[in-house]
């Protein structure tokens, strides 16, 4: 059986995990999260392609690439672009692979501007508020699609 390919895309400032506001985002680095995802993906019969960029257009390009490479699903933590990016909203709508929105914290318990999600307007679903486990929960959901 061919493993399901799942893209894991991370937006701005997520390269600073473990250093940036650990009271909100936890002490695990993005590399730590990636290692956990790789282990779980293998158990689920999936492969992952994990990437991070601080640049909006790069994230859009990777959404298109995920589609072109036949990805089964995309996990997307768009960081602050979640709340502002029409380009990511349109990018999600431009592909057929389901996108699962992921957040370490719960945006609805934070500043009011974080309560609106452009990404969520096109995502299959959202998993938020469980720290690094949000990624693992999203991976489980993606594998089950």
């Amino acid at each position: 059986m061919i493993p399901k390919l799942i893209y894991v895309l991370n937006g701005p400032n997520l390269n600073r995990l473990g250093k940036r506001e650990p009271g909100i985002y936890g002490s695990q680095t993005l590399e730590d999260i990636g290692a956990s995802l790789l282990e779980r993906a293998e158990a689920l019969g999936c492969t992952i392609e994990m990437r991070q960029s601080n640049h909006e257009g790069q994230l859009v390009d990777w959404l298109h690439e995920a589609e072109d490479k036949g990805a089964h699903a995309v996990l997307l933590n768009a960081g602050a672009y979640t709340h502002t990016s029409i380009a990511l909203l349109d990018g999600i709508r431009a592909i057929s692979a389901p996108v699962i929105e992921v957040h370490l914290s719960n945006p609805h318990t934070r500043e009011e501007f974080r309560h609106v999600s452009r990404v969520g307007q096109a995502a299959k679903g959202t998993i938020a508020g469980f720290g690094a486990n949000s990624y693992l929960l999203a991976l489980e959901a993606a594998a089950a699609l």
Side-chain angles (χ1 to χ4, degrees):
M1 181 165 101
I2 297 173
K4 296 176 181 176
L5 173 61
I6 298 174
Y7 269 60
V8 181
L9 304 180
N10 296 280
N13 300 308
L14 289 162
N15 57 308
R16 303 296 295 169
L17 286 179
K19 299 175 186 175
R20 174 186 175 222
E21 300 181 274
I24 295 173
Y25 300 111
S27 59
Q28 288 188 307
T29 66
L30 194 58
E31 291 77 21
D32 295 335
I33 292 169
S36 295
L37 283 171
L38 280 171
E39 183 179 320
R40 188 68 190 128
E42 186 177 319
L44 292 168
C46 299
T47 61
I48 63 168
E49 182 68 39
M50 187 159 169
R51 300 183 182 169
Q52 186 277 328
S53 178
N54 292 320
H55 305 283
E56 183 180 34
Q58 183 64 75
L59 294 167
V60 173
D61 288 344
W62 288 338
L63 284 169
H64 298 169
E65 178 184 308
E67 176 80 3
D68 294 343
K69 299 266 176 133
H72 180 73
V74 176
L75 310 185
L76 175 61
N77 183 342
Y81 291 139
T82 298
H83 318 290
T84 62
S85 181
I86 302 301
L88 283 174
L89 170 64
D90 288 348
I92 294 166
R93 288 181 173 160
I95 66 173
S96 62
V99 173
I100 299 174
E101 178 183 22
V102 179
H103 297 286
L104 296 160
S105 67
N106 181 348
H108 298 288
T109 63
R110 300 187 57 203
E111 303 93 339
E112 189 172 333
F113 72 86
R114 295 185 195 275
H115 298 181
V116 174
S117 171
R118 300 288 182 219
V119 167
Q121 293 172 7
K124 173 82 172 164
T126 301
I127 298 177
F130 298 100
N133 284 329
S134 292
Y135 283 89
L136 293 171
L137 293 167
L139 180 61
E140 294 273 348
L145 291 174

